[in-house]
mmCIF file of all heavy atoms in Angstrom:
data_model
loop_
_atom_site.group_PDB
_atom_site.id
_atom_site.type_symbol
_atom_site.label_atom_id
_atom_site.label_comp_id
_atom_site.label_asym_id
_atom_site.label_seq_id
_atom_site.Cartn_x
_atom_site.Cartn_y
_atom_site.Cartn_z
ATOM 1 N N PHE F 20 4.480 11.662 -8.680
ATOM 2 C CA PHE F 20 5.804 12.243 -8.346
ATOM 3 C C PHE F 20 5.761 13.703 -8.246
ATOM 4 O O PHE F 20 6.367 14.352 -7.385
ATOM 5 C CB PHE F 20 6.877 11.795 -9.406
ATOM 6 C CG PHE F 20 7.473 10.445 -9.138
ATOM 7 C CD1 PHE F 20 6.853 9.286 -9.389
ATOM 8 C CD2 PHE F 20 8.830 10.408 -8.563
ATOM 9 C CE1 PHE F 20 7.426 8.038 -9.142
ATOM 10 C CE2 PHE F 20 9.356 9.229 -8.348
ATOM 11 C CZ PHE F 20 8.720 7.988 -8.575
ATOM 12 N N VAL F 21 4.902 14.369 -9.063
ATOM 13 C CA VAL F 21 4.740 15.791 -9.022
ATOM 14 C C VAL F 21 4.064 16.155 -7.675
ATOM 15 O O VAL F 21 4.479 17.094 -7.022
ATOM 16 C CB VAL F 21 3.828 16.266 -10.226
ATOM 17 C CG1 VAL F 21 3.396 17.722 -10.023
ATOM 18 C CG2 VAL F 21 4.627 16.118 -11.529
ATOM 19 N N TYR F 22 3.058 15.370 -7.340
ATOM 20 C CA TYR F 22 2.437 15.654 -6.060
ATOM 21 C C TYR F 22 3.279 15.535 -4.828
ATOM 22 O O TYR F 22 3.399 16.430 -3.982
ATOM 23 C CB TYR F 22 1.195 14.646 -5.882
ATOM 24 C CG TYR F 22 0.480 14.823 -4.489
ATOM 25 C CD1 TYR F 22 -0.300 15.885 -4.274
ATOM 26 C CD2 TYR F 22 0.669 13.844 -3.539
ATOM 27 C CE1 TYR F 22 -0.930 15.987 -3.025
ATOM 28 C CE2 TYR F 22 0.117 13.970 -2.319
ATOM 29 C CZ TYR F 22 -0.700 15.054 -2.000
ATOM 30 O OH TYR F 22 -1.322 15.132 -0.807
ATOM 31 N N GLU F 23 4.124 14.506 -4.774
ATOM 32 C CA GLU F 23 5.088 14.243 -3.724
ATOM 33 C C GLU F 23 6.046 15.377 -3.712
ATOM 34 O O GLU F 23 6.495 15.750 -2.632
ATOM 35 C CB GLU F 23 5.713 12.846 -3.850
ATOM 36 C CG GLU F 23 4.654 11.733 -3.545
ATOM 37 C CD GLU F 23 4.008 11.702 -2.149
ATOM 38 O OE1 GLU F 23 4.638 12.145 -1.203
ATOM 39 O OE2 GLU F 23 2.833 11.238 -2.146
ATOM 40 N N SER F 24 6.470 15.816 -4.870
ATOM 41 C CA SER F 24 7.514 16.854 -4.971
ATOM 42 C C SER F 24 6.908 18.155 -4.463
ATOM 43 O O SER F 24 7.533 18.987 -3.811
ATOM 44 C CB SER F 24 7.912 17.172 -6.429
ATOM 45 O OG SER F 24 8.477 15.978 -6.926
ATOM 46 N N GLY F 25 5.561 18.427 -4.674
ATOM 47 C CA GLY F 25 4.931 19.632 -4.165
ATOM 48 C C GLY F 25 4.780 19.595 -2.616
ATOM 49 O O GLY F 25 4.787 20.624 -1.948
ATOM 50 N N ARG F 26 4.597 18.361 -2.057
ATOM 51 C CA ARG F 26 4.456 18.276 -0.693
ATOM 52 C C ARG F 26 5.765 18.426 0.142
ATOM 53 O O ARG F 26 5.765 18.851 1.283
ATOM 54 C CB ARG F 26 3.898 16.840 -0.309
ATOM 55 C CG ARG F 26 2.468 16.584 -0.624
ATOM 56 C CD ARG F 26 2.037 15.222 -0.186
ATOM 57 N NE ARG F 26 2.057 15.217 1.235
ATOM 58 C CZ ARG F 26 2.348 14.104 1.868
ATOM 59 N NH1 ARG F 26 2.658 12.978 1.337
ATOM 60 N NH2 ARG F 26 2.389 14.128 3.158
ATOM 61 N N GLU F 27 6.904 17.980 -0.465
ATOM 62 C CA GLU F 27 8.103 17.895 0.253
ATOM 63 C C GLU F 27 9.239 18.404 -0.645
ATOM 64 O O GLU F 27 9.634 17.819 -1.620
ATOM 65 C CB GLU F 27 8.388 16.491 0.687
ATOM 66 C CG GLU F 27 9.690 16.292 1.385
ATOM 67 C CD GLU F 27 9.870 17.121 2.600
ATOM 68 O OE1 GLU F 27 8.999 17.100 3.516
ATOM 69 O OE2 GLU F 27 10.839 17.888 2.604
ATOM 70 N N PRO F 28 9.793 19.575 -0.247
ATOM 71 C CA PRO F 28 10.862 20.120 -1.051
ATOM 72 C C PRO F 28 12.142 19.217 -1.267
ATOM 73 O O PRO F 28 12.734 19.251 -2.394
ATOM 74 C CB PRO F 28 11.381 21.432 -0.264
ATOM 75 C CG PRO F 28 10.157 21.808 0.554
ATOM 76 C CD PRO F 28 9.458 20.449 0.815
ATOM 77 N N LYS F 29 12.417 18.356 -0.339
ATOM 78 C CA LYS F 29 13.547 17.420 -0.482
ATOM 79 C C LYS F 29 13.275 16.405 -1.566
ATOM 80 O O LYS F 29 14.200 15.938 -2.314
ATOM 81 C CB LYS F 29 13.891 16.699 0.880
ATOM 82 C CG LYS F 29 14.396 17.775 1.908
ATOM 83 C CD LYS F 29 14.583 17.066 3.163
ATOM 84 C CE LYS F 29 14.891 17.995 4.266
ATOM 85 N NZ LYS F 29 14.803 17.376 5.601
ATOM 86 N N VAL F 30 12.020 15.946 -1.676
ATOM 87 C CA VAL F 30 11.665 15.072 -2.732
ATOM 88 C C VAL F 30 11.726 15.771 -4.093
ATOM 89 O O VAL F 30 12.261 15.191 -5.050
ATOM 90 C CB VAL F 30 10.167 14.478 -2.487
ATOM 91 C CG1 VAL F 30 9.712 13.773 -3.773
ATOM 92 C CG2 VAL F 30 10.114 13.648 -1.248
ATOM 93 N N ARG F 31 11.258 17.037 -4.046
ATOM 94 C CA ARG F 31 11.423 17.860 -5.333
ATOM 95 C C ARG F 31 12.839 17.891 -5.810
ATOM 96 O O ARG F 31 13.151 17.823 -7.007
ATOM 97 C CB ARG F 31 10.873 19.230 -5.122
ATOM 98 C CG ARG F 31 10.973 20.113 -6.377
ATOM 99 C CD ARG F 31 10.470 21.501 -6.142
ATOM 100 N NE ARG F 31 9.099 21.460 -5.724
ATOM 101 C CZ ARG F 31 8.187 22.226 -6.141
ATOM 102 N NH1 ARG F 31 8.524 23.281 -6.991
ATOM 103 N NH2 ARG F 31 6.945 22.178 -5.754
ATOM 104 N N GLU F 32 13.770 18.085 -4.887
ATOM 105 C CA GLU F 32 15.180 18.158 -5.254
ATOM 106 C C GLU F 32 15.713 16.873 -5.899
ATOM 107 O O GLU F 32 16.328 16.942 -6.913
ATOM 108 C CB GLU F 32 16.034 18.444 -3.969
ATOM 109 C CG GLU F 32 15.911 19.894 -3.432
ATOM 110 C CD GLU F 32 16.601 20.096 -2.112
ATOM 111 O OE1 GLU F 32 17.355 19.199 -1.745
ATOM 112 O OE2 GLU F 32 16.379 21.125 -1.457
ATOM 113 N N LEU F 33 15.260 15.768 -5.320
ATOM 114 C CA LEU F 33 15.637 14.483 -5.912
ATOM 115 C C LEU F 33 15.022 14.351 -7.314
ATOM 116 O O LEU F 33 15.662 13.930 -8.299
ATOM 117 C CB LEU F 33 15.202 13.342 -5.086
ATOM 118 C CG LEU F 33 15.391 11.956 -5.775
ATOM 119 C CD1 LEU F 33 16.820 11.599 -5.841
ATOM 120 C CD2 LEU F 33 14.568 10.880 -5.117
ATOM 121 N N VAL F 34 13.721 14.612 -7.444
ATOM 122 C CA VAL F 34 12.993 14.465 -8.709
ATOM 123 C C VAL F 34 13.656 15.361 -9.787
ATOM 124 O O VAL F 34 13.894 14.850 -10.954
ATOM 125 C CB VAL F 34 11.505 14.777 -8.592
ATOM 126 C CG1 VAL F 34 10.773 14.927 -9.833
ATOM 127 C CG2 VAL F 34 10.818 13.694 -7.733
ATOM 128 N N LYS F 35 14.049 16.534 -9.507
ATOM 129 C CA LYS F 35 14.689 17.356 -10.413
ATOM 130 C C LYS F 35 16.126 16.930 -10.731
ATOM 131 O O LYS F 35 16.523 16.780 -11.906
ATOM 132 C CB LYS F 35 14.812 18.792 -9.862
ATOM 133 C CG LYS F 35 13.518 19.545 -10.016
ATOM 134 C CD LYS F 35 13.613 21.015 -9.612
ATOM 135 C CE LYS F 35 12.348 21.761 -9.972
ATOM 136 N NZ LYS F 35 12.586 23.105 -10.171
ATOM 137 N N LYS F 36 16.897 16.647 -9.692
ATOM 138 C CA LYS F 36 18.258 16.244 -9.912
ATOM 139 C C LYS F 36 18.437 14.914 -10.722
ATOM 140 O O LYS F 36 19.329 14.739 -11.601
ATOM 141 C CB LYS F 36 19.043 16.110 -8.511
ATOM 142 C CG LYS F 36 20.508 15.855 -8.597
ATOM 143 C CD LYS F 36 21.288 16.905 -9.277
ATOM 144 C CE LYS F 36 21.323 18.165 -8.430
ATOM 145 N NZ LYS F 36 22.033 19.239 -9.157
ATOM 146 N N ALA F 37 17.472 13.972 -10.419
ATOM 147 C CA ALA F 37 17.550 12.685 -11.063
ATOM 148 C C ALA F 37 16.754 12.693 -12.404
ATOM 149 O O ALA F 37 16.692 11.626 -13.040
ATOM 150 C CB ALA F 37 17.013 11.615 -10.074
ATOM 151 N N GLU F 38 16.178 13.786 -12.728
ATOM 152 C CA GLU F 38 15.350 13.931 -13.950
ATOM 153 C C GLU F 38 14.255 12.878 -14.046
ATOM 154 O O GLU F 38 13.989 12.423 -15.157
ATOM 155 C CB GLU F 38 16.336 13.844 -15.170
ATOM 156 C CG GLU F 38 17.413 14.979 -15.255
ATOM 157 C CD GLU F 38 18.331 14.856 -16.412
ATOM 158 O OE1 GLU F 38 19.090 13.920 -16.464
ATOM 159 O OE2 GLU F 38 18.127 15.675 -17.346
ATOM 160 N N ILE F 39 13.659 12.626 -12.964
ATOM 161 C CA ILE F 39 12.667 11.527 -12.932
ATOM 162 C C ILE F 39 11.425 11.876 -13.819
ATOM 163 O O ILE F 39 10.984 10.923 -14.598
ATOM 164 C CB ILE F 39 12.214 11.248 -11.486
ATOM 165 C CG1 ILE F 39 13.348 10.614 -10.765
ATOM 166 C CG2 ILE F 39 10.944 10.380 -11.443
ATOM 167 C CD1 ILE F 39 13.183 10.402 -9.246
ATOM 168 N N LEU F 40 10.906 13.081 -13.802
ATOM 169 C CA LEU F 40 9.725 13.430 -14.634
ATOM 170 C C LEU F 40 10.076 13.274 -16.125
ATOM 171 O O LEU F 40 9.256 12.771 -16.928
ATOM 172 C CB LEU F 40 9.253 14.813 -14.265
ATOM 173 C CG LEU F 40 8.737 15.018 -12.832
ATOM 174 C CD1 LEU F 40 8.327 16.475 -12.625
ATOM 175 C CD2 LEU F 40 7.643 14.040 -12.516
ATOM 176 N N GLU F 41 11.229 13.735 -16.554
ATOM 177 C CA GLU F 41 11.696 13.670 -17.886
ATOM 178 C C GLU F 41 11.768 12.195 -18.317
ATOM 179 O O GLU F 41 11.344 11.787 -19.420
ATOM 180 C CB GLU F 41 12.988 14.392 -18.207
ATOM 181 C CG GLU F 41 12.877 15.917 -17.926
ATOM 182 C CD GLU F 41 12.957 16.367 -16.537
ATOM 183 O OE1 GLU F 41 13.071 15.527 -15.584
ATOM 184 O OE2 GLU F 41 12.881 17.527 -16.250
ATOM 185 N N ILE F 42 12.353 11.366 -17.462
ATOM 186 C CA ILE F 42 12.546 9.993 -17.806
ATOM 187 C C ILE F 42 11.115 9.285 -17.927
ATOM 188 O O ILE F 42 10.884 8.458 -18.811
ATOM 189 C CB ILE F 42 13.464 9.223 -16.761
ATOM 190 C CG1 ILE F 42 14.839 9.826 -16.868
ATOM 191 C CG2 ILE F 42 13.439 7.732 -17.006
ATOM 192 C CD1 ILE F 42 15.809 9.441 -15.772
ATOM 193 N N LEU F 43 10.239 9.628 -17.062
ATOM 194 C CA LEU F 43 8.921 8.981 -17.104
ATOM 195 C C LEU F 43 8.216 9.362 -18.484
ATOM 196 O O LEU F 43 7.539 8.517 -19.051
ATOM 197 C CB LEU F 43 8.096 9.483 -15.934
ATOM 198 C CG LEU F 43 8.296 8.698 -14.628
ATOM 199 C CD1 LEU F 43 7.623 9.448 -13.462
ATOM 200 C CD2 LEU F 43 7.828 7.272 -14.662
ATOM 201 N N LYS F 44 8.429 10.589 -18.915
ATOM 202 C CA LYS F 44 7.876 10.959 -20.252
ATOM 203 C C LYS F 44 8.505 10.189 -21.309
ATOM 204 O O LYS F 44 7.755 9.884 -22.328
ATOM 205 C CB LYS F 44 8.097 12.461 -20.440
ATOM 206 C CG LYS F 44 7.275 13.408 -19.665
ATOM 207 C CD LYS F 44 7.652 14.861 -20.039
ATOM 208 C CE LYS F 44 6.868 15.834 -19.127
ATOM 209 N NZ LYS F 44 7.264 17.236 -19.532
ATOM 210 N N GLU F 45 9.750 9.862 -21.216
ATOM 211 C CA GLU F 45 10.454 9.172 -22.238
ATOM 212 C C GLU F 45 10.080 7.680 -22.387
ATOM 213 O O GLU F 45 10.444 7.042 -23.366
ATOM 214 C CB GLU F 45 12.010 9.311 -22.130
ATOM 215 C CG GLU F 45 12.424 10.748 -22.347
ATOM 216 C CD GLU F 45 13.844 10.969 -22.036
ATOM 217 O OE1 GLU F 45 14.527 10.034 -21.448
ATOM 218 O OE2 GLU F 45 14.397 12.045 -22.219
ATOM 219 N N ILE F 46 9.496 7.170 -21.314
ATOM 220 C CA ILE F 46 9.119 5.726 -21.393
ATOM 221 C C ILE F 46 8.114 5.391 -22.503
ATOM 222 O O ILE F 46 8.265 4.360 -23.169
ATOM 223 C CB ILE F 46 8.423 5.317 -20.039
ATOM 224 C CG1 ILE F 46 9.496 5.327 -18.938
ATOM 225 C CG2 ILE F 46 7.771 3.879 -20.104
ATOM 226 C CD1 ILE F 46 9.056 5.129 -17.555
ATOM 227 N N ARG F 47 7.236 6.342 -22.740
ATOM 228 C CA ARG F 47 6.100 6.201 -23.695
ATOM 229 C C ARG F 47 5.431 4.818 -23.469
ATOM 230 O O ARG F 47 4.966 4.627 -22.370
ATOM 231 C CB ARG F 47 6.682 6.316 -25.125
ATOM 232 C CG ARG F 47 7.247 7.757 -25.319
ATOM 233 C CD ARG F 47 7.333 8.157 -26.748
ATOM 234 N NE ARG F 47 7.678 9.562 -26.860
ATOM 235 C CZ ARG F 47 8.715 10.225 -26.401
ATOM 236 N NH1 ARG F 47 9.589 9.573 -25.752
ATOM 237 N NH2 ARG F 47 8.835 11.532 -26.640
ATOM 238 N N GLN F 48 5.413 3.915 -24.380
ATOM 239 C CA GLN F 48 4.767 2.702 -24.202
ATOM 240 C C GLN F 48 5.712 1.510 -24.189
ATOM 241 O O GLN F 48 5.311 0.324 -24.461
ATOM 242 C CB GLN F 48 3.639 2.417 -25.267
ATOM 243 C CG GLN F 48 2.523 3.457 -25.176
ATOM 244 C CD GLN F 48 1.515 3.238 -26.199
ATOM 245 O OE1 GLN F 48 1.794 3.318 -27.437
ATOM 246 N NE2 GLN F 48 0.281 2.992 -25.792
ATOM 247 N N SER F 49 6.993 1.800 -23.931
ATOM 248 C CA SER F 49 7.998 0.775 -24.042
ATOM 249 C C SER F 49 8.154 0.029 -22.720
ATOM 250 O O SER F 49 8.609 0.572 -21.623
ATOM 251 C CB SER F 49 9.304 1.440 -24.418
ATOM 252 O OG SER F 49 10.419 0.513 -24.294
ATOM 253 N N LYS F 50 8.078 -1.259 -22.744
ATOM 254 C CA LYS F 50 8.244 -2.175 -21.674
ATOM 255 C C LYS F 50 9.687 -2.065 -21.253
ATOM 256 O O LYS F 50 10.008 -1.921 -19.988
ATOM 257 C CB LYS F 50 7.899 -3.617 -21.967
ATOM 258 C CG LYS F 50 8.192 -4.651 -20.864
ATOM 259 C CD LYS F 50 7.908 -6.038 -21.327
ATOM 260 C CE LYS F 50 8.210 -7.056 -20.266
ATOM 261 N NZ LYS F 50 7.773 -8.429 -20.693
ATOM 262 N N LYS F 51 10.614 -2.115 -22.120
ATOM 263 C CA LYS F 51 12.039 -2.081 -21.869
ATOM 264 C C LYS F 51 12.341 -0.796 -21.077
ATOM 265 O O LYS F 51 13.141 -0.824 -20.149
ATOM 266 C CB LYS F 51 12.844 -2.130 -23.170
ATOM 267 C CG LYS F 51 14.320 -2.014 -22.992
ATOM 268 C CD LYS F 51 15.001 -1.999 -24.329
ATOM 269 C CE LYS F 51 16.537 -1.721 -24.155
ATOM 270 N NZ LYS F 51 17.122 -1.467 -25.420
ATOM 271 N N ASN F 52 11.844 0.413 -21.545
ATOM 272 C CA ASN F 52 12.150 1.645 -20.841
ATOM 273 C C ASN F 52 11.527 1.650 -19.465
ATOM 274 O O ASN F 52 12.218 2.233 -18.538
ATOM 275 C CB ASN F 52 11.541 2.828 -21.705
ATOM 276 C CG ASN F 52 12.303 3.059 -22.964
ATOM 277 O OD1 ASN F 52 13.347 2.532 -23.197
ATOM 278 N ND2 ASN F 52 11.747 3.898 -23.795
ATOM 279 N N TYR F 53 10.379 1.128 -19.227
ATOM 280 C CA TYR F 53 9.838 1.138 -17.900
ATOM 281 C C TYR F 53 10.698 0.215 -16.894
ATOM 282 O O TYR F 53 10.972 0.635 -15.830
ATOM 283 C CB TYR F 53 8.410 0.700 -17.821
ATOM 284 C CG TYR F 53 7.852 1.029 -16.463
ATOM 285 C CD1 TYR F 53 7.444 2.239 -16.109
ATOM 286 C CD2 TYR F 53 7.937 0.035 -15.391
ATOM 287 C CE1 TYR F 53 7.034 2.616 -14.828
ATOM 288 C CE2 TYR F 53 7.506 0.325 -14.066
ATOM 289 C CZ TYR F 53 7.141 1.665 -13.815
ATOM 290 O OH TYR F 53 6.750 1.923 -12.555
ATOM 291 N N LEU F 54 11.065 -0.969 -17.434
ATOM 292 C CA LEU F 54 11.949 -1.842 -16.640
ATOM 293 C C LEU F 54 13.206 -1.122 -16.249
ATOM 294 O O LEU F 54 13.713 -1.225 -15.097
ATOM 295 C CB LEU F 54 12.157 -3.114 -17.311
ATOM 296 C CG LEU F 54 10.903 -3.984 -17.534
ATOM 297 C CD1 LEU F 54 11.281 -5.223 -18.400
ATOM 298 C CD2 LEU F 54 10.191 -4.345 -16.254
ATOM 299 N N LEU F 55 13.782 -0.395 -17.232
ATOM 300 C CA LEU F 55 15.045 0.365 -16.984
ATOM 301 C C LEU F 55 14.770 1.483 -15.891
ATOM 302 O O LEU F 55 15.612 1.618 -14.985
ATOM 303 C CB LEU F 55 15.555 1.005 -18.221
ATOM 304 C CG LEU F 55 16.809 1.800 -18.170
ATOM 305 C CD1 LEU F 55 18.012 0.967 -17.610
ATOM 306 C CD2 LEU F 55 17.140 2.397 -19.545
ATOM 307 N N PHE F 56 13.644 2.108 -16.045
ATOM 308 C CA PHE F 56 13.310 3.152 -15.019
ATOM 309 C C PHE F 56 13.139 2.528 -13.632
ATOM 310 O O PHE F 56 13.632 3.104 -12.637
ATOM 311 C CB PHE F 56 11.949 3.902 -15.327
ATOM 312 C CG PHE F 56 11.462 4.749 -14.364
ATOM 313 C CD1 PHE F 56 12.091 5.961 -14.016
ATOM 314 C CD2 PHE F 56 10.338 4.365 -13.564
ATOM 315 C CE1 PHE F 56 11.584 6.751 -12.971
ATOM 316 C CE2 PHE F 56 9.864 5.230 -12.568
ATOM 317 C CZ PHE F 56 10.547 6.371 -12.339
ATOM 318 N N GLY F 57 12.566 1.370 -13.522
ATOM 319 C CA GLY F 57 12.485 0.651 -12.233
ATOM 320 C C GLY F 57 13.751 0.355 -11.640
ATOM 321 O O GLY F 57 14.069 0.488 -10.425
ATOM 322 N N ARG F 58 14.679 -0.075 -12.441
ATOM 323 C CA ARG F 58 16.122 -0.343 -11.935
ATOM 324 C C ARG F 58 16.791 0.980 -11.551
ATOM 325 O O ARG F 58 17.589 1.029 -10.562
ATOM 326 C CB ARG F 58 16.909 -1.126 -12.985
ATOM 327 C CG ARG F 58 16.390 -2.568 -13.155
ATOM 328 C CD ARG F 58 17.266 -3.416 -13.909
ATOM 329 N NE ARG F 58 17.616 -2.982 -15.273
ATOM 330 C CZ ARG F 58 16.910 -3.285 -16.344
ATOM 331 N NH1 ARG F 58 15.805 -3.991 -16.282
ATOM 332 N NH2 ARG F 58 17.289 -2.783 -17.507
ATOM 333 N N TYR F 59 16.522 2.021 -12.270
ATOM 334 C CA TYR F 59 17.096 3.372 -11.950
ATOM 335 C C TYR F 59 16.600 3.792 -10.561
ATOM 336 O O TYR F 59 17.404 4.270 -9.704
ATOM 337 C CB TYR F 59 16.671 4.339 -13.030
ATOM 338 C CG TYR F 59 17.210 5.752 -12.828
ATOM 339 C CD1 TYR F 59 18.565 6.051 -12.761
ATOM 340 C CD2 TYR F 59 16.293 6.789 -12.764
ATOM 341 C CE1 TYR F 59 19.049 7.296 -12.593
ATOM 342 C CE2 TYR F 59 16.726 8.141 -12.621
ATOM 343 C CZ TYR F 59 18.133 8.419 -12.577
ATOM 344 O OH TYR F 59 18.559 9.689 -12.453
#
């Protein structure tokens, strides 16, 4: 996601606005959290 954000500014805007990197960090090792991220 960081790489794609670096390649394309519009992707970076989405990743920042949707807080995707922060959410990915919060998954840790939780199956439930990853499934929720997938639905998000």
Side-chain angles (χ1 to χ4, degrees):
F20 273 79
V21 168
Y22 174 74
E23 294 299 327
S24 294
R26 286 184 64 216
E27 178 55 57
K29 293 174 192 171
V30 172
R31 178 184 299 223
E32 290 173 10
L33 170 74
V34 168
K35 283 185 172 209
K36 185 63 66 184
E38 301 180 288
I39 291 172
L40 297 178
E41 294 81 0
I42 293 168
L43 280 168
K44 284 181 189 179
E45 293 173 354
I46 290 170
R47 298 202 169 59
Q48 293 179 303
S49 169
K50 175 181 180 177
K51 177 183 171 190
N52 288 351
Y53 191 82
L54 296 176
L55 180 60
F56 172 71
R58 290 193 302 272
Y59 180 59

